[in-house]
Amino acid sequence: MSAIINFLTVLSTIVLMECVSWFIHKYLFHGPLWFMHKTHHQKSNSFFEWNDLFAILFAVISIYLMYTDRDNFGIKFFIGLGITLYGLIYFIVHDWFVHRRIKTFKSNNTYLQAIRKAHKIHHKNRGKANGKAFGLLFVKKGILN
């Protein structure tokens, strides 16, 4: 039974991270943290952006949770694992597939193409205000029309 609870904890954390990421993206990144996030909305010749520091912050949080609970493999460990897996999913989908920071991954999958289109709608607006489509994994059908 604990394996099921651990799996559900990881899965719930991934879903919750998408919701938290949407909120942080809309209200903090396009708000008071715009001075860092704007590097993600500007053309750049550099592989790294100031915006990448956010990924490092979440990585530190997930490592801390897993490290502090490494002996028990309790709920903190599996929450940390869920954050780590969300970060991996985010890297693969956002950085690798959508933005092609590594140019080896293409797909004609309908869901992935919807994610790409929604994110391009988000980046159509280069500024801090009037943005759309702040999430990554959940795409509203209405946004794609």
Side-chain angles (χ1 to χ4, degrees):
M1 187 62 144
S2 67
I4 293 171
I5 292 171
N6 295 339
F7 174 77
L8 291 175
T9 299
V10 170
L11 189 61
S12 299
T13 301
I14 292 169
V15 171
L16 187 60
M17 280 300 297
E18 173 67 5
C19 299
V20 167
S21 293
W22 176 91
F23 181 86
I24 290 171
H25 188 185
K26 182 170 183 166
Y27 294 108
L28 295 178
F29 292 0
H30 284 260
L33 297 177
W34 176 252
F35 71 98
M36 287 176 64
H37 182 64
K38 71 180 175 182
T39 63
H40 181 62
H41 284 264
Q42 298 169 339
K43 298 225 184 246
S44 173
N45 293 328
S46 175
F47 183 77
F48 294 103
E49 309 166 344
W50 280 105
N51 188 64
D52 293 333
L53 291 176
F54 297 120
I56 293 169
L57 172 68
F58 285 115
V60 167
I61 292 169
S62 65
I63 290 167
Y64 171 79
L65 288 169
M66 290 188 293
Y67 182 79
T68 59
D69 206 13
R70 69 191 180 282
D71 295 328
N72 302 327
F73 291 104
I75 192 150
K76 287 194 299 184
F77 180 87
F78 291 100
I79 290 171
L81 182 60
I83 294 170
T84 298
L85 291 175
Y86 179 78
L88 181 62
I89 292 165
Y90 192 92
F91 172 76
I92 291 169
V93 173
H94 180 265
D95 293 333
W96 196 351
F97 177 70
V98 173
H99 286 289
R100 302 201 186 230
R101 287 173 84 174
I102 302 170
K103 298 180 183 352
T104 59
F105 178 43
K106 293 183 180 182
S107 175
N108 291 323
N109 177 278
T110 304
Y111 171 68
L112 291 175
Q113 289 299 325
I115 288 174
R116 170 179 263 147
K117 185 174 181 183
H119 203 71
K120 289 193 181 288
I121 289 168
H122 175 73
H123 277 271
K124 198 174 205 180
N125 176 23
R126 296 254 180 220
K128 176 179 174 180
N130 303 320
K132 295 180 182 176
F134 291 95
L136 180 67
L137 301 177
F138 305 148
V139 179
K140 289 183 183 180
K141 285 185 179 181
I143 197 87
L144 299 176
N145 298 331

